[in-house]
Amino acid sequence: MHRFTGKVAIVTGAAQGIGAATARRLAGEGAAVAVVDLTAERAQGTVDEITAEGGAARAYGCDVADQEAVAATFAQAVEDLGGLHILVNNAGITRDNLLFKMPKSDWDTVLSVNLTSAFNCSQAAQRYLVKQNYGKIVSLSSRSALGNRGQANYAAAKAGIQGLTATLAIELGRYNINVNAVAPGYVATAMTAATAERVGATPERHQELAAERTPLGRVGQPEEIASVVAFLASDDASYVSGQTLYVNGGGR
């Protein structure tokens, strides 16, 4: 299946985890992928994986919380790869703490990297998508948007992604641009491993406990989220817009 032949995609936060899996999935289906992370060196590993499989990708370093840096990086990627059709807003971090102990700086940083970056990248991308009257924007939300102890900042940012998604779908729909979000539950990534360490558990034990609370009886894998992102980025989802799809094994 080559749903993305002739398409160019930008994936942020693509050095590891869900972002890397998404970049690989899109490239595997024919897209040329701009692999974006904080530094090009961090992104290069994903590019190497893609090119080893015969795909097309280039690495870009960009602080996606910096609006000017985003505009410059997108312009360069469009020039290098010949266009832009798909944007995946995946960049994200955690700075977990209970409300009474959370520094304001951790609130600001998480909102900036997880939410403001999606605004910056979507605003930059729409300049190209509107002109061609075609485009797909998929942003990563989270089950934490419904509330999660110790994650006031992250939960607020991921809930904001859902509001941003619904609004952009309204504004950009007339230009044949679909805007959707994916909200994963527990996925085995470096980020959830760091959460496990924060609460004094091993990643393996943390995953076991999460699996016990999940109807499917296991945690998710990055590739399973990437497959849903790819669906929403494809023309198979041509009449889907403004939606947040929870991918959490049936959990609540």
Side-chain angles (χ1 to χ4, degrees):
M1 184 185 299
H2 289 83
R3 293 181 291 185
F4 304 115
T5 298
K7 300 292 197 301
V8 175
I10 292 177
V11 183
T12 69
Q16 61 185 8
I18 293 170
T22 298
R24 293 193 301 266
R25 178 63 182 257
L26 297 179
E29 293 195 39
V33 181
V35 179
V36 178
D37 212 278
L38 193 57
T39 67
E41 291 75 19
R42 283 171 53 89
Q44 189 61 45
T46 302
V47 171
D48 291 344
E49 291 174 348
I50 290 170
T51 55
E53 295 296 321
R58 293 186 67 159
Y60 297 88
C62 180
D63 177 359
V64 289
D66 182 331
Q67 191 173 47
E68 292 183 2
V70 167
T73 299
F74 278 42
Q76 187 64 59
V78 168
E79 180 178 341
D80 292 342
L81 300 177
L84 176 61
H85 307 90
I86 298 162
L87 167 64
V88 180
N89 289 311
N90 171 76
I93 61 170
T94 55
R95 295 288 186 272
D96 295 351
N97 221 326
L98 294 175
L99 176 64
F100 78 98
K101 295 194 293 185
M102 183 176 290
K104 175 65 159 47
S105 59
D106 283 356
W107 171 270
D108 290 342
T109 298
V110 168
L111 267 290
S112 181
V113 175
N114 290 274
L115 180 56
T116 302
S117 69
F119 165 79
N120 290 341
C121 293
S122 298
Q123 189 178 65
Q126 62 85 32
R127 298 187 182 104
Y128 304 99
L129 306 183
V130 166
K131 287 180 182 178
Q132 66 197 16
N133 202 48
Y134 178 90
K136 312 287 185 179
I137 298 174
V138 184
S139 299
L140 271 292
S141 180
S142 171
R143 157 61 183 81
S144 293
L146 302 177
N148 197 31
R149 181 179 175 83
Q151 288 194 319
N153 48 6
Y154 187 75
K158 292 305 187 179
I161 287 288
Q162 298 187 22
L164 178 66
T165 293
T167 301
L168 296 188
I170 294 168
E171 294 186 7
L172 298 177
R174 69 182 63 188
Y175 303 105
N176 194 34
I177 299 169
N178 300 71
V179 188
N180 292 288
V182 176
Y186 195 111
V187 179
T189 65
M191 182 179 289
T192 51
T195 298
E197 293 174 3
R198 177 181 63 83
V199 299
T202 65
E204 294 76 16
R205 180 55 180 159
H206 205 242
Q207 290 177 25
E208 289 174 3
L209 293 172
E212 291 171 2
R213 300 190 299 268
T214 304
L216 284 181
R218 62 179 179 84
V219 301
Q221 298 299 318
E223 292 74 16
E224 294 177 298
I225 308 305
S227 68
V228 179
V229 174
F231 164 67
L232 292 173
S234 77
D235 288 333
D236 289 338
S238 58
Y239 201 57
V240 181
S241 200
Q243 304 305 303
T244 295
L245 178 56
Y246 281 79
V247 186
N248 59 2
R252 290 290 181 264

